[in-house]
Every structure is written in structure tokens, then in C-alpha cells.
Amino acid sequence: MFGYDDFMKFIQAFFVVFPVVTLIHLLGHIFFAAIFGGKGIRVVIGSGKLLFSLKFLEVRHFYFWYGGCEYISLKYNNKLTKSLIFLGGSIFNVVSIFLVNYLIRIDIIEASMLWYQFVYFSFYYVFFALLPMDMADGTLSDGKAMYKLWRNKNKDDSSADCRRKVF
């Protein structure tokens, strides 16, 4: 039976945990883009009208739905660097899973529904990011973008949530 406690867990999961997991994923992409000399780096959390922006971060009205990042150019631009950018989001999600589990194990944080949801959504994000598939809007998952990159078929160096902005 779905009760009040379950409703509050739902609110926590979708309006707090999932946006945090999304931000971690996008920061992973941008971290590697920055390491390889990325210019024009920008992270967008959510969709809809702009709520506020800070330097390279934009937060949209529906902050809990979707996210993306972009860069204009890279100083070090080859298949390996682009692959690490595509994998960066999943790398950050996996590292965050291990970090949370480690902190629980050494009693720094207490095991709770919050951390269970965090790990669950992080696995979810990694699975669907690396699954080589075309999204409904025609964009590519990170896994498919990397696959096409190595097959010389990813013309715009983009995935569904990380793209090189072309003018």
C-alpha cells in the first residue's frame, strides 16, 4: 500500500536525490572536458525557463527533469579524450557509489533510505548512459556516442547529455 511515508520518499527521490545524481553525472563529463582544455563549458540542470545561473551552471524551472552539458572546443581533441568525456559522467557516478558505501562502512554516514535512493539512481544513470542506444529524440547515449566515435561515425561528437557546441 502506498502511504504518506512512501509519498515523502517519492518526493525525496525525485526532487532531491535524482537531480543531485544528474549533477554528479554532468560534472563528470565537464571535469574531463576541462582537463582536456575545454572552452565554453556549460552545465544545464533541468528544463524550462531559466531560474538562475552561476558562472558555468544554469538551473532551470523543472530542475528535476533532464540535464545537459556542452563545450565549444578542446585543446586535446582525439578519440581517447572524447571517450573519457563520454565516460566521465558514469565514472563520477560509480565513484560516488563507492564513496557512499565506504562512508557507510566506516560509520561516517548512516545507512538510510536517502543513500539507498542515491546509489539506486546512480546505478540507473550509469546503466542507461552506457547502454549503446538511440534516444527517442535522435540523440545518442554516452555508450552509443563512444561506439560511433571509435567507428568514425559520430560526426558531431555528441551524446544525449554532453555535446560539443558547433557554431
Side-chain angles (χ1 to χ4, degrees), residues 1-27:
M1 180 104 187
F2 193 81
Y4 177 76
D5 287 342
D6 297 314
F7 181 73
M8 294 312 292
K9 290 174 189 168
F10 168 82
I11 296 296
Q12 174 181 285
F14 288 99
F15 297 107
V16 178
V17 176
F18 193 62
V20 169
V21 170
T22 300
L23 180 62
I24 290 169
H25 185 85
L26 297 175
L27 290 175

Side-chain angles (χ1 to χ4, degrees), residues 122-158:
S122 296
F123 271 119
Y124 169 91
Y125 231 101
V126 169
F127 178 80
F128 285 107
L130 295 181
L131 188 66
M133 64 181 185
D134 297 309
M135 302 298 192
D137 64 357
T139 58
L140 309 173
S141 69
D142 295 335
K144 180 89 178 248
M146 195 169 69
Y147 170 78
K148 289 184 84 168
L149 170 71
W150 285 91
R151 304 275 305 186
N152 296 317
K153 294 181 180 180
N154 190 347
K155 303 290 184 228
D156 63 357
D157 298 334
S158 293

